[in-house]
């Protein structure tokens, strides 16, 4: 749900877009327009329902943008319908969108939003715009003032333009085959260093039209630059879904959009940016170039939202490992230093099963027999359960270092971080029927209760959030969360066993791409048979306890699954996509 809303906001967010500065005439290339009215009306309805008015900036997040050269509005993207009347290709635009810091949705400001003293047009969905016909010669200042006196202001510096020189060696209506690499040549004017390039094609999805990004890379040095965009990128677009066809680029007439961007994160803002009481803010400077293209063919792997590997072994071990497509999924080759954010253990160590049977005896008398079977695992001190968690964790740490040269920082470097307080408290309990504990005082990263779930919802899609800030402070590019569960049961031989399951999630950030968040891997592992145990021996023998908890089998499944996922991500071009231009 959160991802769906994020895509909706991304499609409708007005701070995107741009074409070449010198070309302001409407394109002669006529793009076929589908009937999108129903979907767009639904989008408008959803947006209106999600938008409310605020007079207090302390509940809002501001995303400002300055655009140097608007892309052709006749492309007819859904966001283009929010451009002020009379907007043409090559116009310059300043925009700001206010989103809710808590909860999902946008804000209209009860007050004034101006640019250089002139009122900005409110176009809906928490967004204010102002367009210009002449190039920006200096920074533009946005001022926000509410009726209660809250104030904020942002000085937006324009970015240099970008020019498409050729696509696959052609400079006029090139044909792009989705099954082949794209050779792109573009020109960087002086001042391009430190910016990023994003590449898009047009996608029609859910009754809306959007620029669907499929490649992002460093702009490199000034001058003419040629890069090869691997064909695998075309299977990994930003907008994609599990429903067949969602995320496919429009065949036939289309536009290749090249966007230069520079994002100023909250912690990089200087004194000219006054965020006031705003929860946080982000500034984006962009310039775009557009070239009409013809799209043909089909991606070798079609388009996909995620990849996964599944395994079921004869010893009862089964697992599923998965990660998002390469737009959101980070290849393991990019990881260098991880931290443990959460490792909790919960076990049900007492269970009764009641079985009834009936038969008829002498004189047709009905005889009912009730049999109760009790399965019990000994109550152990929490320190002994800690040793089980220690073995699993150190097994992961050793594997990641040996296999991928990824180090782990000490656990207390994460738990002592000032941002760690936003996590949820781990349950602690130890009775004859249940055990709940956490490894080295780590907390939960997943919301469980309704209050926690509702409290975790936010429209803050900037990088200024607690998890990214935690990674920044701890100097890591990945965070690991694990949950180990046990259920006492009986096996096919009637012996008492523990059925273990392990859930793991490794999230991270791309330090070279504005700390964009992504996922290295997620997994679920289970041993459906468990191991029989000696109740007296496990109380004193750590090796026996580890065997009863199937730790060796779980670690092997964990490492085998990560290897298989890594093999698959390499085969599908994740490394190629993340190393474009390098």
């Amino acid at each position: 749900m959160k991802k769906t809303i994020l895509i909706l906001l991304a499609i409708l967010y007005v701070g995107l877009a741009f074409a070449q500065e010198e070309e302001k005439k409407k394109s002669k290339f006529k793009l076929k327009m589908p009937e999108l009215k129903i979907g767009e009306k639904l989008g408008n309805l959803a947006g209106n329902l999600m938008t409310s008015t605020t007079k207090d900036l302390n509940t809002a997040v501001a995303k400002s943008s300055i655009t140097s050269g608007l892309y052709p509005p006749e492309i007819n993207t859904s966001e283009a319908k929010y451009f002020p009347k009379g907007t043409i290709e090559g116009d310059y635009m300043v925009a700001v969108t206010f989103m809710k810091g808590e909860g999902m949705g946008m804000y209209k400001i009860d007050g004034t939003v101006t640019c250089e003293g002139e009122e900005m047009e409110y176009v809906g969905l928490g967004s204010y715009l102002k367009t210009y016909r002449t190039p920006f010669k200096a920074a533009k200042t946005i001022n926000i003032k509410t009726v209660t006196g809250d104030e904020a202001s942002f000085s937006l510096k324009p970015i240099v333009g970008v020019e498409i020189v050729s696509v696959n060696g052609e400079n006029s209506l090139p044909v792009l085959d989705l099954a082949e690499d794209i050779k792109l040549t573009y020109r960087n004017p002086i001042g391009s260093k430190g910016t990023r390039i994003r590449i898009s094609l047009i996608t029609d999805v859910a009754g809306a039209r959007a620029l669907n990004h499929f490649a992002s890379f460093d702009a490199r040095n000034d001058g003419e630059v040629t890069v090869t965009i691997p064909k695998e990128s075309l299977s990994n677009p930003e907008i994609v879904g599990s429903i067949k066809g969602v995320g496919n680029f429009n065949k036939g007439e289309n536009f290749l959009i090249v966007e230069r961007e520079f994002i100023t994160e909250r912690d990089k803002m200087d004194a000219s940016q006054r965020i006031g009481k705003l929860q946080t803010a982000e500034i984006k400077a962009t310039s775009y170039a557009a070239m009409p293209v013809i799209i043909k063919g089909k991606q070798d792997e079609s388009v996909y939202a995620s990849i996964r590997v599944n395994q079921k072994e004869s010893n009862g071990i089964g697992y599923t490992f998965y990660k998002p497509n390469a737009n959101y999924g980070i290849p393991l080759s990019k990881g260098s230093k991880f931290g443990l954010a959460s490792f909790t253990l919960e076990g049900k160590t007492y269970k009764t099963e009641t079985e009834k049977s009936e038969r008829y005896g002498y004189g047709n008398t009905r005889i009912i027999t009730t049999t109760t079977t009790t399965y019990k695992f000994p109550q152990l001190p929490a320190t002994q359960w800690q040793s089980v968690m220690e073995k699993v964790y150190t097994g992961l740490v050793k594997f990641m270092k040996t296999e991928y040269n990824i180090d782990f920082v000490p656990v207390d470097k994460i738990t002592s971080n000032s941002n760690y307080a936003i996590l949820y408290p781990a349950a602690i309990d130890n009775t004859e029927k249940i055990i709940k504990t956490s490894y080295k005082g780590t907390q939960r990263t997943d919301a469980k209760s309704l209050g926690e779930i509702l409290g975790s919802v936010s429209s803050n899609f900037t990088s200024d959030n607690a998890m990214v800030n935690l990674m920044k402070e701890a100097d890591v590019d990945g965070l690991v969360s694990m949950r180990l569960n046990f259920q006492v049961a009986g096996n096919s031989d009637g012996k008492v066993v523990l059925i273990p399951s392990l859930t793991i999630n490794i999230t991270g950030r791309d330090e070279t791409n504005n700390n964009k968040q992504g996922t290295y891997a997620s997994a679920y592992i289970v041993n459906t048979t468990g191991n029989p145990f000696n109740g007296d021996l496990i109380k004193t023998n750590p090796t026996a306890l580890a065997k009863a908890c199937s730790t060796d089998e779980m670690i092997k499944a964990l490492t085998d699954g990560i290897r298989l996922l890594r093999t698959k991500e390499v085969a599908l071009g994740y490394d190629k996509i993340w190393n474009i231009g390098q």
Side-chain angles (χ1 to χ4, degrees):
M1 178 64 179
K2 185 174 181 180
K3 182 178 177 182
T4 302
I5 295 174
L6 173 58
I7 291 173
L8 174 64
L9 290 174
I11 292 174
L12 298 177
Y13 176 50
V14 192
L16 302 175
F18 328 102
Q20 302 172 37
E21 294 182 6
E22 63 274 17
E23 181 58 42
K24 291 191 176 183
K25 295 181 295 183
K26 288 194 175 183
S27 171
K28 295 180 181 179
F29 182 71
K30 299 300 182 183
L31 191 67
K32 183 180 179 182
M33 301 303 175
E35 185 62 47
L36 300 174
K37 292 182 180 178
I38 294 177
E40 287 179 348
K41 285 181 179 178
L42 290 174
N44 290 340
L45 176 61
N48 289 334
L49 291 174
M50 294 166 63
T51 304
S52 56
T53 301
T54 184
K55 57 186 177 182
D56 300 309
L57 294 184
N58 60 7
T59 61
V61 173
K63 294 190 72 171
S64 305
S65 66
I66 183 166
T67 300
S68 300
L70 200 61
Y71 64 77
E74 59 267 29
I75 290 178
N76 206 35
T77 60
S78 295
E79 68 169 357
K81 291 180 171 29
Y82 291 87
F83 294 164
K85 186 176 180 180
T87 299
I88 63 173
E89 179 183 358
D91 276 354
Y92 298 79
M93 182 179 289
V94 173
V96 59
T97 297
F98 298 95
M99 294 175 288
K100 295 179 180 179
E102 284 93 28
M104 191 60 65
M106 291 75 70
Y107 279 130
K108 181 180 181 182
I109 299 299
D110 188 1
T112 59
V113 180
T114 60
C115 180
E116 299 297 326
E118 297 180 354
E119 188 173 352
M120 300 177 70
E121 180 180 352
Y122 180 72
V123 295
L125 302 172
S127 297
Y128 296 78
L129 300 179
K130 187 162 184 59
T131 57
Y132 301 83
R133 286 285 156 83
T134 56
F136 298 125
K137 295 181 179 179
K140 292 291 184 181
T141 300
I142 293 177
N143 287 284
I144 305 110
K145 185 174 183 179
T146 71
V147 293
T148 60
D150 287 355
E151 293 187 61
S153 67
F154 300 98
S155 178
L156 311 184
K157 297 178 181 179
I159 199 171
V160 296
V162 59
E163 178 188 350
I164 300 174
V165 176
S166 66
V167 178
N168 292 339
E170 301 288 337
N171 57 19
S172 177
L173 201 61
V175 177
L176 303 186
D177 190 328
L178 296 179
E180 297 178 358
D181 295 346
I182 298 174
K183 186 177 180 181
L184 171 68
T185 300
Y186 60 94
R187 184 168 288 112
N188 282 327
I190 295 173
S192 299
K193 192 172 183 179
T195 64
R196 288 190 68 82
I197 298 294
R198 294 209 304 169
I199 313 298
S200 310
L201 287 166
I202 297 169
T203 290
D204 292 335
V205 56
R209 170 164 288 177
L211 306 182
N212 200 356
H213 310 292
F214 61 89
S216 174
F217 47 91
D218 183 79
R220 298 165 68 180
N221 296 324
D222 299 343
E224 197 168 288
V225 178
T226 298
V227 296
T228 297
I229 301 171
K231 61 184 180 180
E232 290 87 353
S233 296
L234 296 163
S235 293
N236 290 264
E238 184 177 56
I239 300 172
V240 68
S242 57
I243 301 174
K244 186 177 180 180
V246 174
N248 279 326
F249 304 111
N250 294 359
K251 295 292 182 66
E253 299 167 341
N254 206 309
F255 271 87
L256 182 76
I257 307 292
V258 177
E259 173 190 6
R260 183 187 306 286
E261 71 171 11
F262 184 83
I263 293 177
T264 304
E265 300 173 87
R266 171 67 184 90
D267 60 353
K268 300 293 196 321
M269 292 183 183
D270 59 25
S272 66
Q273 316 301 341
R274 299 189 300 113
I275 73 166
K277 294 181 179 179
L278 286 164
Q279 286 194 7
T280 190
E282 183 178 273
I283 299 171
K284 181 178 180 181
T286 54
S287 59
Y288 273 50
M291 178 178 282
V293 297
I294 300 296
I295 301 297
K296 71 171 188 177
K298 182 180 180 181
Q299 298 95 324
D300 289 344
E301 298 292 338
S302 187
V303 295
Y304 51 87
S306 63
I307 60 173
R308 62 181 59 230
V309 293
N310 301 290
Q311 189 74 20
K312 187 175 182 181
E313 300 176 0
S314 58
N315 63 354
I317 287 288
Y319 56 77
T320 297
F321 282 74
Y322 50 94
K323 71 188 305 174
N325 75 15
N327 213 289
Y328 302 99
I330 310 174
L332 285 162
S333 59
K334 288 295 180 179
S336 61
K337 194 186 301 181
F338 287 176
L340 181 68
S342 175
F343 191 5
T344 59
L345 180 150
E346 293 189 11
K348 295 180 179 179
T349 54
Y350 184 91
K351 177 184 177 182
T352 60
E353 291 181 351
T354 301
E355 183 179 345
K356 288 185 178 181
S357 63
E358 63 178 64
R359 64 184 176 85
Y360 288 87
Y362 181 76
N364 205 30
T365 303
R366 188 172 72 160
I367 302 172
I368 300 176
T369 303
T370 301
T371 304
T372 300
T373 304
T374 300
Y375 303 100
K376 187 175 181 181
F377 192 88
Q379 183 178 359
L380 301 173
T383 53
Q384 291 184 248
W385 291 107
Q386 290 283 329
S387 70
V388 173
M389 302 174 81
E390 173 79 15
K391 185 169 184 180
V392 173
Y393 175 63
T394 55
L396 174 65
V397 170
K398 181 179 178 181
F399 168 76
M400 297 300 278
K401 177 62 177 177
T402 302
E403 201 86 1
Y404 307 115
N405 198 30
I406 295 175
D407 293 309
F408 275 72
V409 301
V411 176
D412 62 3
K413 188 172 184 179
I414 302 297
T415 57
S416 63
N417 190 292
S418 60
N419 294 283
Y420 197 75
I422 62 99
L423 272 63
Y424 308 103
I428 304 296
D429 202 358
N430 191 353
T431 69
E432 65 175 357
K433 294 185 177 181
I434 198 166
I435 174 65
K436 295 181 180 181
T437 188
S438 72
Y439 182 67
K440 293 189 175 182
T442 58
Q443 304 297 317
R444 285 185 293 115
T445 53
D446 57 320
K448 283 188 174 182
S449 69
L450 179 61
E452 289 176 346
I453 294 171
L454 293 176
S456 67
V457 176
S458 173
S459 295
N460 176 15
F461 300 128
T462 73
S463 64
D464 184 22
N465 61 69
M467 297 309 286
V468 171
N469 290 336
L470 194 160
M471 285 188 272
K472 286 181 179 179
E473 265 193 52
D475 189 28
V476 298
D477 48 27
L479 290 174
V480 177
S481 298
M482 293 193 288
R483 186 171 67 251
L484 187 58
N485 287 293
F486 293 102
Q487 173 65 63
V488 71
N491 66 8
S492 57
D493 297 325
K495 295 183 178 180
V496 180
V497 295
L498 276 183
I499 303 297
S501 64
L502 176 67
T503 303
I504 181 170
N505 190 39
I506 308 176
T507 58
R509 63 179 176 126
D510 181 3
E511 298 157 281
T512 67
N513 186 11
N514 305 302
N515 290 295
K516 178 182 176 181
Q517 291 178 262
T519 299
Y520 288 97
S522 296
Y524 175 77
I525 306 167
V526 64
N527 182 358
T528 58
T529 58
N531 292 325
F533 57 87
N534 181 308
D536 292 327
L537 187 61
I538 61 172
K539 295 178 182 179
T540 58
N541 189 321
T543 302
L545 176 60
K547 183 177 180 181
C549 294
S550 304
T551 54
D552 287 344
E553 294 93 329
M554 301 299 279
I555 293 171
K556 184 178 185 303
L558 179 59
T559 56
D560 286 351
I562 293 175
R563 282 195 188 99
L564 287 174
L565 190 67
R566 172 61 181 156
T567 299
K568 190 162 188 176
E569 73 179 24
V570 170
L572 291 175
Y574 277 58
D575 285 7
K576 290 182 184 178
I577 295 168
W578 280 70
N579 291 314
I580 295 173
Q582 296 182 15

